[in-house]
Amino acid sequence: MTPPARPPGSGGLVWFDEPAPPRATEQLSRDKVVAAAIELADREPRGEITMRAVAARLGARSPMALYRYVGSKDGLTDLMADQVYGQLTVPRGRGWRPALRGLGETGWDAVQRHPWFARLAFSRPPLGPQAIGVYDAALAELEPLGLDAATRMGFISTVLGHVLGSGLALLEEQAMRARVGLHSDTDLDRAAAPYLQRIAAAGQHPAFSRWAADPGRDAPGPQSFGQVLDWLLDGLGTLIPAR
């Protein structure tokens, strides 16, 4: 059966297509293709994959065999991102702040498992069923606050912006460490020490040098993901109309 044509201007969105049934000659399916792509992306420092690599992992004869199940590389990207959106949770019935805090915490857990998700979430529209379910749950918890539609979505975007921005930083650091061979914080500190010592000796940036020399600078502190999330929620709370 031929799948229905996508509407004009649909942007190649995979959500218009039903998954193709497996062929008798292939041991492939949409779920298997997405799972293989995620496994590969998790192993790559930058989370980048190719259709050829996914096909090889699945034992497919050609990358073209995958397009029957995901439509295109963008379609695969959409499906991968939506799979990770399914790992985000919005606690229900406890009020807006626990809802958005749960969204932020589970989002941070997800991008630590799959740092590439942060890049994909910025590059493709969040229109998959898992993504829309997350937004729907969060919007439902915000509806009783008397906020306009733009502000309700702004609350969610603020929290997800913190999640995805932190995820992008994690992805880039992961890629940098793999590229230059600095696999631990100790390796990075050791490599940077001569340069920082030269700056300190020259007296160029005294406040920064004092911070760099402080033994407590790496202790868990207010810059943690959870603390910054709380600061954001505190600020959002000031926008809620007084009852």
Side-chain angles (χ1 to χ4, degrees), residues 178-214:
R179 185 174 66 252
V180 302
L182 301 175
H183 301 293
S184 70
D185 290 341
T186 300
D187 293 338
L188 186 59
D189 287 345
R190 187 180 298 116
Y195 177 65
L196 296 178
Q197 290 166 4
R198 189 173 71 188
I199 289 177
Q204 290 175 295
H205 305 291
F208 178 83
S209 294
R210 287 191 294 272
W211 170 82
D214 190 324

Side-chain angles (χ1 to χ4, degrees), residues 8-48:
S10 65
L13 294 175
V14 73
W15 314 117
F16 287 105
D17 300 332
E18 291 295 324
R23 285 175 170 159
T25 57
E26 293 177 341
Q27 297 299 314
L28 294 178
S29 68
R30 174 174 285 186
D31 288 345
K32 288 181 179 179
V33 173
V34 174
I38 288 174
E39 288 176 8
L40 286 173
D42 286 345
R43 295 180 180 183
E44 292 295 320
R46 292 195 59 81
E48 295 173 342

Side-chain angles (χ1 to χ4, degrees), residues 77-214:
T77 293
D78 288 338
L79 291 161
M80 292 169 66
D82 201 56
Q83 190 88 348
V84 181
Y85 269 113
Q87 299 174 22
L88 278 59
T89 301
V90 178
R92 303 298 302 270
R94 293 159 48 193
W96 74 271
R97 185 168 182 132
L100 293 188
R101 197 171 211 293
L103 173 62
E105 289 174 340
T106 57
W108 179 230
D109 289 343
V111 296
Q112 289 180 93
R113 288 190 293 270
H114 312 289
W116 48 267
F117 167 67
R119 186 180 68 247
L120 297 194
F122 277 127
S123 67
R124 297 291 293 169
L127 295 177
Q130 302 287 354
I132 290 178
V134 167
Y135 278 94
D136 181 73
L139 287 167
E141 293 300 311
L142 292 169
E143 278 188 341
L145 301 182
L147 301 167
D148 60 75
T151 303
R152 294 198 303 275
M153 187 57 74
F155 272 42
I156 300 169
S157 297
T158 297
V159 172
L160 289 180
H162 179 36
V163 169
L164 299 177
S166 299
L168 282 176
L170 181 64
L171 179 65
E172 291 301 324
E173 180 178 352
Q174 176 178 284
M176 177 275 294
R177 289 177 182 273
R179 185 174 66 252
V180 302
L182 301 175
H183 301 293
S184 70
D185 290 341
T186 300
D187 293 338
L188 186 59
D189 287 345
R190 187 180 298 116
Y195 177 65
L196 296 178
Q197 290 166 4
R198 189 173 71 188
I199 289 177
Q204 290 175 295
H205 305 291
F208 178 83
S209 294
R210 287 191 294 272
W211 170 82
D214 190 324

